[in-house]
Amino acid sequence: MEGVSSLDEPLKKLLGGATAKVMAEHLDLHTVGDLLHHYPRRYEERGKLTALTDLPLDEHVTVVAQVADARILTFNNGRGKRLEVTLTDGSGRLQLVFFGHGVHKPHKELLPGRQAMFAGKVSVFNRKMQLAHPTYQLLDASDADEASEAVDAFAGRLLPIYPACKQLDSWRIAKAVDAVLPSARDAVDPLPASLREGRGFTPLPEALLKVHRPQTRADIEDAKARLKWDEAFVLQVALARRRYADTQLPAAARQRVADGLLDAFDAKLPFTLTEGQEKVSKEIFDDLATEHPMHRLLQGEVGSGKTMVALRAMLAVVDAGGQAAMLAPTEVLAQQHHRSITEMMGELAEGGMLGGSDRGTKVVLLTGSMGAAARRQALLDLVTGEAGIVIGTHALIEDKVRFHDLGLVVVDEQHRFGVEQRDALRSKGKQPPHLLVMTATPIPRTVAMTVFGDLETSVLDQLPAGRSPIASHVVPAKDKPHFLARAWERVAEEVENGHQAYVVCPRIGDDAEEAEGQGGKKAKAKKAAPEEDGEKRPPLAVLEIADQLREGALSGLSVEVLHGRMHPDEKDDVMRRFAAGDVDVLVATTVIEVGVNVPNATAMVIMDADRFGVSQLHQLRGRVGRGSAPGLCLLVSEAHEASPARARLSAVAATLDGFELSRIDLEQRREGDVLGQAQSGVRSSLRMLTVIDDEEVIAAAREEAVAIVAADPELERLPELRTVLAALLDKEREEYLDKG
């Protein structure tokens, strides 16, 4: 197909080596097709020509004027340079200013008497109108008609502004796009004709021309609508094909058995399951009973009872003769799941032991830091099938681990878990095991449809009975220091009433440069300008805050620390003593974010709360209010009242609805961070689509994709779509889809 080749041309053929090298290294653009899909970020309207006397403030204008004078001024003891140019057009005067390295070229070109066009945004400096760093074009045409044509072409145009880099500005990218634009005619259209016509979309070559060189705003809208659809649709077809391929894999059906472990477990539950838990459990049991592997994502708020749902699924599989493995991201969590599951199961978790139930099974723990003897025993229990349930970290994936008959894998907190691990674990079964992925991060529907698009989704949105509401408040430490003092009094009161508290800090402290999960800001903090101090001070640290509290506000209470650099045994010891009530206040990093369960802990103080993301704050807050006493979460911040950081904290304080917060979070961070490093491939393929705003597009594209793949799984009747998919799913994107 000749059409593919011209878009596959390497850029260096058309643009010359130097430009092509910068595009490859800094913008990840290698072929003509890459550059055609490097869309403008926005468009500047160069206003029609404006007289210097009636310049509107804060708007983009285009003026034609003569240079009256130009002079270079130095500042900062001669270290900085500024070029000031005065323009006149007979009606008035206007000042231009250029800084830094940008002064050399205009200083050579903008000589007194020269006539030129200037475009830029009007601002005021020292009560004078000015344009800072305007773009300009010299008008040296001897012929007056030619000059006026140049003016028309320059003014009144929608100017594309491209995502650029230091080495290559938007202008030069625009020039390069001009060079490759004729190739847009050869673009392979991935949309089936019936779909394109049915939805009234512009043909792809036309959409590419319109997005790069629009004549009107309507052109831009047309092009965007079309290009967004392409992205959503191609991605959804890729995901639909994966889901289809998964349904073709064989798996052992694990039918629910009456009077087994599950029924015995249900009979001794001291409470009834919520409606949500019943509904989701039914979806899972139905999936387990089929002969192809379940791939389900279980989303649920912190404390909505996901572990209970997962445990019942594991027991059903054990009843059906299989084994279940639960994978946790950290040792602390694996130990904790092991503890809570053996407690929930009681004698049912002591199969084959004295005093164990005859219907019971063994529940073993497998982590990297276990002693050799315990590890040997655990491995033996797995290979013989003595242990029906194993809980562990990725140590479970190591080659040495063999299962008797692995039927179900439960992954806790998917976004910390790459595909290599998922596949390695899958290969441990005689056939691919069923897969249940749990996450406590509420994922907006659109992200679930894109990032986790190859999983079916179940949502637990009720909290079980017995969970208490959590009151959240922002504590403005800078404006109102007495509020912070009161916060520590509140913590002391909680302890006095027999409860416990967490204090969370972004960084560990002592000489470590890193903030756990924050990237250390310490080294650069020293030279901050005074007004930026709030931003630049290093984040508060666990070790320092713990010392201050022991000596000050909480002296007399037992205050302990917990962070990621401690030895696993030490961590476990602190957690155990905190859970037992021997520690009043635990000062920790975000290691407590996931899954730490101490119902007696009722208060949490988050220091430098503005340094955490919205979802993370929500996760952290979920650690309190897990018992019958109400929870309290205090978000301490020095951020300015009007800052976006404070707006974020107020949003967290105002609602306990994780889905609402995840939307706010997504709107504030855009999807780059949300999709995270784990899914880097999607970022390189989503150029026009934003996962936040385009929910309808994504949902509609998913529907079309599912129908097309069901009718023609190999896309034999749609060769263009196959071609485009193959290009999207090169190595990196394939990996992304696997990580989903």
Side-chain angles (χ1 to χ4, degrees):
M1 215 161 141
E2 177 277 330
V4 190
S5 58
S6 80
L7 295 198
D8 288 339
E9 288 274 323
L11 284 170
K12 56 175 174 284
K13 267 192 164 163
L14 281 125
L15 303 179
T19 307
K21 185 168 190 267
V22 172
M23 286 193 166
E25 284 175 8
H26 297 280
L27 298 168
D28 196 21
L29 306 174
H30 306 275
T31 64
V32 169
D34 289 344
L35 182 53
L36 285 174
H37 290 297
H38 187 69
Y39 307 129
R41 179 178 286 142
R42 58 191 169 85
Y43 301 84
E44 271 184 16
E45 272 190 81
R46 285 200 178 139
K48 290 290 178 210
L49 291 186
T50 314
L52 295 188
T53 41
D54 36 4
L55 291 174
L57 197 59
D58 274 349
E59 285 191 23
H60 284 282
V61 298
T62 302
V63 298
V64 169
Q66 200 166 24
V67 177
D69 72 78
R71 56 189 184 280
I72 284 200
L73 306 171
T74 57
F75 57 95
N76 216 351
N77 295 333
R79 283 201 296 279
K81 279 190 180 163
R82 180 167 82 234
L83 171 66
E84 287 186 0
V85 179
T86 307
L87 302 182
T88 170
D89 68 348
S91 74
R93 295 166 86 77
L94 174 67
Q95 184 113 32
L96 312 178
V97 58
F98 299 87
F99 290 100
H101 298 305
V103 305
H104 308 308
K105 186 165 175 267
H107 189 224
K108 286 210 286 279
E109 295 182 337
L110 299 178
L111 305 171
R114 295 292 290 270
Q115 177 107 359
M117 267 180 305
F118 301 89
K121 193 171 176 184
V122 184
S123 56
V124 168
F125 181 70
N126 276 346
R127 294 207 289 278
K128 277 198 207 128
M129 293 271 197
Q130 74 165 26
L131 298 182
H133 276 286
T135 48
Y136 63 88
Q137 191 167 324
L138 297 170
L139 297 176
D140 287 342
S142 44
D143 174 1
D145 286 349
E146 208 178 300
S148 88
E149 257 173 48
V151 171
D152 282 348
F154 185 87
R157 276 242 322 268
L158 282 167
L159 245 146
I161 304 298
Y162 287 93
C165 60
K166 207 163 66 212
Q167 297 78 0
L168 201 62
D169 59 21
S170 173
W171 282 81
R172 281 168 62 205
I173 295 173
K175 269 195 133 82
V177 169
D178 282 334
V180 302
L181 213 46
S183 306
R185 285 192 306 267
D186 301 330
V188 177
D189 198 325
L191 295 192
S194 56
L195 193 162
R196 190 174 65 235
E197 285 148 24
R199 291 185 177 265
F201 285 130
T202 309
L204 183 58
E206 197 184 315
L208 290 169
L209 284 170
K210 282 181 168 177
V211 80
H212 288 293
R213 297 295 173 261
Q215 300 298 309
T216 61
R217 288 269 163 201
D219 281 355
I220 299 171
E221 291 316 306
D222 256 14
K224 280 189 165 172
R226 167 67 219 249
L227 296 167
K228 275 181 181 178
W229 242 91
D230 281 17
E231 282 175 18
F233 177 71
V234 171
L235 188 60
Q236 290 303 335
V237 168
L239 291 164
R241 289 188 71 191
R242 278 197 59 117
R243 287 194 302 274
Y244 179 83
D246 284 340
T247 62
Q248 305 306 300
L249 288 173
R254 310 284 173 174
Q255 301 276 358
R256 195 171 163 176
V257 176
D259 293 330
L261 253 175
L262 181 56
D263 285 350
F265 175 77
D266 282 349
K268 63 193 234 26
L269 276 181
F271 51 81
T272 52
L273 297 172
T274 65
E275 226 173 289
Q277 284 174 318
E278 291 282 11
K279 179 176 138 286
V280 171
S281 290
K282 182 179 180 330
E283 292 172 347
I284 292 171
F285 292 142
D286 289 350
D287 278 0
L288 289 173
T290 60
E291 295 191 343
H292 56 81
M294 163 171 84
H295 285 120
R296 195 166 277 283
L297 173 68
L298 173 56
Q299 301 185 51
E301 284 286 4
V302 170
S304 57
K306 290 185 300 300
T307 314
M308 172 62 70
V309 168
L311 175 55
R312 294 182 71 242
M314 297 200 301
L315 295 173
V317 167
V318 174
D319 278 342
Q323 288 170 297
M326 183 186 248
L327 259 170
T330 62
E331 296 215 348
V332 170
L333 255 177
Q335 287 163 338
Q336 184 163 320
H337 277 314
H338 183 250
R339 236 187 344 263
S340 61
I341 282 173
T342 46
E343 276 164 19
M344 284 198 262
M345 287 175 64
E347 78 280 6
L348 297 173
E350 295 164 2
M353 294 186 233
L354 217 60
S357 153
D358 51 357
R359 273 187 294 200
T361 187
K362 241 185 188 177
V363 179
V364 300
L365 175 69
L366 191 63
T367 63
S369 63
M370 279 169 82
R375 190 179 169 80
R376 248 196 324 274
Q377 185 57 54
L379 290 172
L380 189 67
D381 289 340
L382 284 180
V383 77
T384 58
E386 187 83 10
I389 295 178
V390 58
I391 293 149
T393 53
H394 48 261
L396 274 181
I397 300 164
E398 286 168 19
D399 288 347
K400 291 191 279 296
V401 182
R402 293 270 177 278
F403 289 86
H404 178 64
D405 179 12
L406 180 58
L408 169 67
V409 176
V410 179
V411 179
D412 190 12
E413 292 303 324
Q414 153 76 20
H415 50 279
R416 308 188 178 199
F417 193 74
V419 64
E420 301 75 28
Q421 288 123 318
R422 199 163 96 179
D423 283 352
L425 198 57
R426 257 189 200 168
S427 64
K428 304 247 176 224
K430 295 176 182 156
Q431 289 181 320
H434 298 281
L435 176 72
L436 180 66
V437 171
M438 301 198 295
T439 175
T441 310
I443 301 164
R445 177 164 160 259
T446 42
V447 179
M449 283 193 295
T450 4
V451 181
F452 298 101
D454 59 338
L455 300 170
E456 302 296 332
T457 307
S458 298
V459 178
L460 278 176
D461 45 14
Q462 300 161 287
L463 286 186
R467 293 290 309 233
S468 303
I470 305 168
S472 307
H473 305 284
V474 179
V475 177
K478 208 168 194 170
D479 319 344
K480 304 188 174 152
H482 59 285
F483 276 38
L484 182 57
R486 176 73 191 114
W488 299 126
E489 284 170 17
R490 282 290 290 112
V491 169
E493 286 161 15
E494 289 295 312
V495 173
E496 222 163 280
N497 294 331
H499 297 302
Q500 293 156 280
Y502 298 99
V503 177
V504 181
C505 303
R507 203 165 52 91
I508 297 174
D510 67 35
D511 55 348
E513 284 291 305
E514 95 308 341
E516 225 165 88
Q518 291 279 320
K521 297 182 185 156
K522 197 169 183 176
K524 297 196 188 83
K526 299 282 183 279
K527 299 204 291 268
E531 71 273 22
E532 297 179 287
D533 249 47
E535 179 51 33
K536 296 294 189 211
R537 139 179 98 59
L540 293 171
V542 166
L543 302 175
E544 290 144 30
I545 294 288
D547 288 344
Q548 286 170 25
L549 292 175
R550 285 185 190 115
E551 288 160 23
L554 303 180
S555 61
L557 302 185
S558 113
V559 176
E560 294 272 1
V561 301
L562 182 70
H563 58 74
R565 279 210 316 272
M566 290 162 63
H567 186 276
D569 293 349
E570 214 183 335
K571 276 196 276 204
D572 204 43
D573 176 54
V574 171
M575 269 319 301
R576 199 158 298 194
R577 287 187 295 122
F578 187 65
D582 302 339
V583 173
D584 298 323
V585 179
L586 187 62
V587 184
T589 55
T590 53
V591 290
I592 62 155
E593 172 186 356
V594 188
V596 170
N597 185 18
V598 179
N600 191 43
T602 51
M604 175 176 286
V605 180
I606 303 179
M607 307 302 290
D608 273 346
D610 48 280
R611 310 248 181 171
F612 297 97
V614 171
S615 299
Q616 209 173 17
L617 290 168
H618 182 61
Q619 291 292 317
L620 287 165
R621 165 172 66 185
R623 302 291 119 225
V624 296
R626 299 178 78 90
S628 50
L632 172 69
C633 177
L634 302 175
L635 305 165
V636 178
S637 167
E638 289 188 3
H640 191 278
E641 196 164 354
S643 65
R646 273 288 283 281
R648 260 203 333 264
L649 296 181
S650 304
V652 174
T655 177
L656 290 171
D657 177 347
F659 284 94
E660 175 55 28
L661 286 174
S662 70
R663 254 204 111 73
I664 294 169
D665 195 20
L666 197 49
E667 275 159 17
Q668 293 197 329
R669 295 195 307 180
R670 307 310 291 180
E671 45 276 329
D673 314 341
V674 179
L675 304 188
Q677 288 315 297
Q679 283 92 8
S680 62
V682 77
R683 306 246 284 291
S684 45
S685 59
L686 296 191
R687 296 166 197 272
M688 185 64 84
L689 196 69
T690 55
V691 178
I692 311 155
D693 311 321
D694 298 320
E695 184 159 346
E696 287 74 37
V697 176
I698 292 170
R702 178 171 169 130
E703 238 168 78
E704 294 273 12
V706 168
I708 281 171
V709 170
D712 181 5
E714 292 305 311
L715 306 178
E716 281 162 4
R717 296 190 289 283
L718 298 168
E720 292 83 4
L721 179 55
R722 265 223 318 275
T723 303
V724 173
L725 261 182
L728 171 76
L729 300 184
D730 56 29
K731 205 60 218 115
E732 176 196 19
R733 321 268 156 96
E734 267 291 343
E735 277 167 19
Y736 142 64
L737 286 173
D738 276 341
K739 286 194 168 106

